[in-house]
Amino acid sequence: MTRQPTAAEFREWAHRVVEWVAGYYERVEGLPVRSRVSPGEVAARLPGRAPEKGWGDAGGEGGAAGGGDGFERFMRDLEEVVVPGLTHWQSPRFFGYFPSNASYPAIVGEMLSAGLNVNGMLWSTSPAATEVETRVVDWLGELIGLPGRFLSPSGTGGGCIQGTASESALVALAAARRRAGWGRGVELSRLTVYASEQAHSSIVKAAMIAGLAAGPEDRRQVRLIGTDAELAMDVGALEAALREDVSAGRVPCFVVATVGTTGTTAVDAVDRIAGAIGRVCGGEGAGARPWLHVDAAHAGAACVCEEHRWMLRGVEMADSICFNPHKWLLTNFDCDCFWTAERASLTGALSITPEYLRNAATDAGSVIDYRDWQVALGRRFRALKLWLVLRCYGAEGLRAHVREHVRLAGLFEAWVRADGRFEVVSPRTMNLVCFRLRGGDGANRRLMEGLNGSGSMYLSHTVVPDGAGGTKVALRMAIGATLTEERHVRAAWEAIAREAQVQGASAAS
Amino acid sequence: MTRQPTAAEFREWAHRVVEWVAGYYERVEGLPVRSRVSPGEVAARLPGRAPEKGWGDAGGEGGAAGGGDGFERFMRDLEEVVVPGLTHWQSPRFFGYFPSNASYPAIVGEMLSAGLNVNGMLWSTSPAATEVETRVVDWLGELIGLPGRFLSPSGTGGGCIQGTASESALVALAAARRRAGWGRGVELSRLTVYASEQAHSSIVKAAMIAGLAAGPEDRRQVRLIGTDAELAMDVGALEAALREDVSAGRVPCFVVATVGTTGTTAVDAVDRIAGAIGRVCGGEGAGARPWLHVDAAHAGAACVCEEHRWMLRGVEMADSICFNPHKWLLTNFDCDCFWTAERASLTGALSITPEYLRNAATDAGSVIDYRDWQVALGRRFRALKLWLVLRCYGAEGLRAHVREHVRLAGLFEAWVRADGRFEVVSPRTMNLVCFRLRGGDGANRRLMEGLNGSGSMYLSHTVVPDGAGGTKVALRMAIGATLTEERHVRAAWEAIAREAQVQGASAAS
């Protein structure tokens, strides 16, 4: 259409979409969880070119009679072309990867954020976007038990919302490079990075982007430290690697402790890692001390419950930490909360102020400009959804959400352990159960493919050490979708047990 | 609340929010454009801690009687605390920075994307999220006249949606580093980057993040090339810089042509820049040829109109290009479209596949996994909003939108030129008029502050060379908000002329 749509048209479309979304949640349980389309199938149903005419235009969708028909045709395509091409992350039968929690208050928050469409790149470009964010990220930091040094009243620390934990890792590494002296006599090529072999791929990717690794296998400046029997970082091996690098004249720059690995939710010991760093490089205040970043992308959510806070033991010695409310804490993607105790290194690494961004509030130093905390300049008002989630559920509601999924994971684990055909392959720390059929990797892959192909549930896999120098496939049952209840977990276990029979697996006993 | 809200509660909240958003657009014209709050004022109105109880819980917002009250209290805070703290980017009287277009179809697209909340990190994790994106980004590429080598049917090129042009610059630089031989015998410290002095700050920021500049002033590997009288890159100076670096043994790696600079929308000559690169480093296919990235963040939108396509002359010799439909093309933030003619270098620089992300479709190489095109792993289904915008407006509607704003900018420019107290300080290429009071910088800053402080309009500023080796302040009137009509531009000019009188500026004649 060559005019702007009217508010009346928006009302018509948007109310219709609200009903569609509500209806989607009422039926998502019944949809095949994994999409069944083949590569190219969705694209083949879309025209090769953009329409020349818009809604309501003569010759366009909806003809000359008004915009309504065009919108209805869109909704039909949504139903017929898009929905069959989706893997339904919001299904209560989705147990893959880590959950990607949507919730009704968060969706409402996204609607408001889209409606306002302000850009909070600077405090001055929408003060409320910055100040609400600072406040609710403080709230959340306190809820998971972070020490005051990570919260904004400390004056030297504070938090913000990033898109993903990958971005948090990258900006933390940028801060680390700066503190390590890059540009002030220390060459970039001398800096070294440490994480466990079980750390998320985003850590190596951050090193690649930041100029410390030319590819995923480049180990000139990246050390992937071995793990112990529980797949947590071998802190002795970390200490040895740090010592070796220091004695070779390299500069340890960035250490990542993973709290809740992606493969198995193993928990690196932050306190012992900080101890190793202190012994080799000196403690806090030592110029050469590498930046300690805690990647708690998934596990951070659990720390709203006191019984899970042991996972963050030692965090008071870290320089930054992030976790994703968009995984298991009911806040729509994207919402990664990132806190640092030393924001000066962060903003020092990322700040650049051309004339067109100068303003009185920034010049006075009295405000936070979040563009200096992130890769991008522009930013959405994502704090609205987090604020709505925290208010709607309250701390008690969040704890109840987490505890129920942990309880369900405990049930599921017990069922697996009681069935001699299966084994649990790693300790369960929260809501993820890693298990496998006793037998070959092929049988496990076929089991997974049978389940995912059936549409009745969805899970994903990883590989873990087999104790004999090799690896073995493990299936990952991550129980954390917003709508998942006990009946879904029970049905999933029954489907798994049934599928195992189909695969002809025999009991090991 | 310690239970999940119901679909009925969602319907109640979401319909209410639709009405609120529609009402916001009906009244945004009357709100002070720039927020009047002082630093800390918004935060002071928010509690210091997250609520312990949620909506409807005994002791929580809304009491024990149900969730409705809690939601209404939120909406009251939205109105009383948030709205006064916003600078209204959607006001038709917002002329600052570049526009940040929201539109009704795009908001509806965001609602759907939030409702589905799928993660399109891999093709397999929601095939439609990838395939709709590939298709609509192709559509848009064709609409702005991109050569086929940037579109997905080429087999070697293609496009995707990034968050912002900053992210596009960073991933393009990552691809450039790889193609230049980093990790295959070429040290990172030998690579050099080129952009004009008027390029966006995100280019230097990308160099900082990518390990090529330790700070905004680090010029060891970054060359900011001077500009000509029109503030476009001095291509002769670029060629000289390239020659000097090559003869010193450095490796030119990344050249950015800015099409529509942030300060004044000056247009670097892509064809002449490509020519200079060819003369110094060899043409296409030459191993040592640096990556040519076109940053058309704002101007790309104008290229839906044939009369503006001269700005992209020579783009067929570039390696990548981006522009932001979230600026001037009616698509809510964030939506930056990025195309490359050489996707192998991009994915080669960013790909890393741990076991937990392996799947049959990826292993077969038959699909696109967009996580390998970006910094983050996870990604939202942003293509929905772009698809809705392209269908609702059609190509004709988009062209009408751009042409109307360009027409209004022409009117505004004529009014400025007809008033002897003012001067236009740089050529107008599209919808931005850079002008100033004849007189000192102080008078211009006071003029801007008077206007912005009045709430009746909002504009921003930059500095431009004064022709005598110094700089002078210029005011930037960017006409492109979705709701801006001729009457708003006329009222703005009248306010400017009036305020100039208040400032006591006298006619120069």
Side-chain angles (χ1 to χ4, degrees), chain A residues 186-267:
Chain A
V186 179
E187 291 306 309
L188 193 67
S189 56
R190 286 177 60 204
L191 305 181
T192 45
V193 170
Y194 310 79
S196 98
E197 288 170 358
Q198 293 288 321
H200 192 263
S201 55
S202 58
I203 306 305
V204 171
K205 189 165 176 176
M208 289 159 63
I209 294 170
L212 297 169
E217 308 302 333
D218 182 355
R219 295 286 174 274
R220 289 175 297 173
Q221 294 173 255
V222 174
R223 315 277 171 256
L224 293 189
I225 309 297
T227 55
D228 62 21
E230 301 197 344
L231 301 181
M233 185 190 280
D234 176 343
V235 179
L238 170 70
E239 187 165 341
L242 288 167
R243 278 194 205 287
E244 189 185 326
D245 282 326
V246 168
S247 66
R250 290 181 285 259
V251 179
C253 159
F254 190 55
V255 180
V256 177
T258 308
V259 168
T261 59
T262 307
T264 67
T265 60
V267 176

Side-chain angles (χ1 to χ4, degrees), chain B residues 161-205:
Chain B
I161 300 177
Q162 306 273 352
T164 66
S166 305
E167 291 166 40
S168 282
L170 179 57
V171 298
L173 176 49
R177 289 183 319 195
R178 180 177 170 83
R179 194 172 76 181
W182 179 40
R184 299 189 311 280
V186 179
E187 291 306 309
L188 193 68
S189 56
R190 286 176 60 205
L191 304 181
T192 44
V193 169
Y194 309 79
S196 98
E197 288 170 357
Q198 292 288 322
H200 192 264
S201 54
S202 59
I203 307 304
V204 171
K205 189 166 177 176

Side-chain angles (χ1 to χ4, degrees), chain A residues 150-494:
Chain A
F150 291 105
L151 307 183
S152 63
S154 69
T156 50
C160 72
I161 299 176
Q162 306 274 352
T164 66
S166 305
E167 292 166 39
S168 282
L170 179 57
V171 299
L173 177 49
R177 288 184 320 196
R178 180 177 170 83
R179 193 172 78 182
W182 179 41
R184 301 188 310 281
V186 179
E187 291 306 309
L188 193 67
S189 56
R190 286 177 60 204
L191 305 181
T192 45
V193 170
Y194 310 79
S196 98
E197 288 170 358
Q198 293 288 321
H200 192 263
S201 55
S202 58
I203 306 305
V204 171
K205 189 165 176 176
M208 289 159 63
I209 294 170
L212 297 169
E217 308 302 333
D218 182 355
R219 295 286 174 274
R220 289 175 297 173
Q221 294 173 255
V222 174
R223 315 277 171 256
L224 293 189
I225 309 297
T227 55
D228 62 21
E230 301 197 344
L231 301 181
M233 185 190 280
D234 176 343
V235 179
L238 170 70
E239 187 165 341
L242 288 167
R243 278 194 205 287
E244 189 185 326
D245 282 326
V246 168
S247 66
R250 290 181 285 259
V251 179
C253 159
F254 190 55
V255 180
V256 177
T258 308
V259 168
T261 59
T262 307
T264 67
T265 60
V267 176
D268 291 352
V270 180
D271 53 351
R272 294 177 46 233
I273 289 172
I277 292 170
R279 283 189 295 279
V280 182
C281 310
E284 197 171 341
R289 185 174 53 100
W291 187 280
L292 176 53
H293 176 64
V294 176
D295 177 4
H298 175 69
C303 297
V304 297
C305 303
E306 210 172 337
E307 68 269 26
H308 294 295
R309 286 214 194 122
W310 63 270
M311 296 190 291
L312 293 181
R313 199 178 295 140
V315 70
E316 67 277 6
M317 292 176 279
D319 297 289
S320 57
I321 173 171
C322 76
F323 96 88
N324 298 345
H326 69 227
K327 282 192 160 68
W328 189 21
L329 213 63
L330 298 162
T331 311
N332 274 55
F333 191 90
D334 51 352
C335 182
D336 165 81
C337 287
F338 171 83
W339 294 267
T340 177
E342 191 181 311
R343 69 189 205 205
S345 288
L346 181 73
T347 58
L350 297 172
S351 182
I352 167 169
T353 301
E355 184 64 27
Y356 48 78
L357 296 178
R358 287 192 63 186
N359 64 87
T362 298
D363 289 350
S366 56
V367 297
I368 292 174
D369 291 324
Y370 275 132
R371 52 136 197 179
D372 294 333
W373 295 52
Q374 65 178 21
V375 172
L377 171 58
R379 63 203 317 271
R380 298 164 62 231
F381 192 173
R382 290 175 291 209
L384 279 174
K385 62 185 169 189
L386 184 57
W387 193 25
L388 264 156
V389 164
L390 293 171
R391 287 178 71 156
C392 174
Y393 290 94
E396 283 190 0
L398 301 179
R399 289 184 203 118
H401 169 75
V402 163
R403 284 179 177 141
E404 175 63 4
H405 288 146
V406 173
R407 183 185 76 82
L408 296 179
L411 279 183
F412 183 87
E413 182 187 12
W415 297 331
V416 172
R417 288 192 187 277
D419 188 326
R421 296 174 299 174
F422 293 91
E423 59 178 336
V424 171
V425 301
S426 61
R428 180 178 63 82
T429 56
M430 288 165 286
N431 61 334
L432 175 73
V433 182
C434 289
F435 68 105
R436 71 192 312 270
L437 275 173
R438 295 177 197 273
D441 283 356
N444 279 283
R445 289 184 191 277
R446 284 192 301 275
L447 175 66
M448 178 173 76
E449 191 47 39
L451 292 164
N452 290 349
S454 76
S456 71
M457 64 179 291
Y458 184 85
L459 40 63
S460 55
H461 78 288
T462 190
V463 297
V464 295
D466 65 0
T471 61
K472 57 186 180 186
V473 166
L475 305 184
R476 298 173 69 267
M477 179 82 179
I479 298 171
T482 305
L483 299 178
T484 298
E485 299 173 10
E486 184 170 331
R487 64 191 171 92
H488 304 109
V489 178
R490 190 174 296 272
W493 169 246
E494 287 165 2

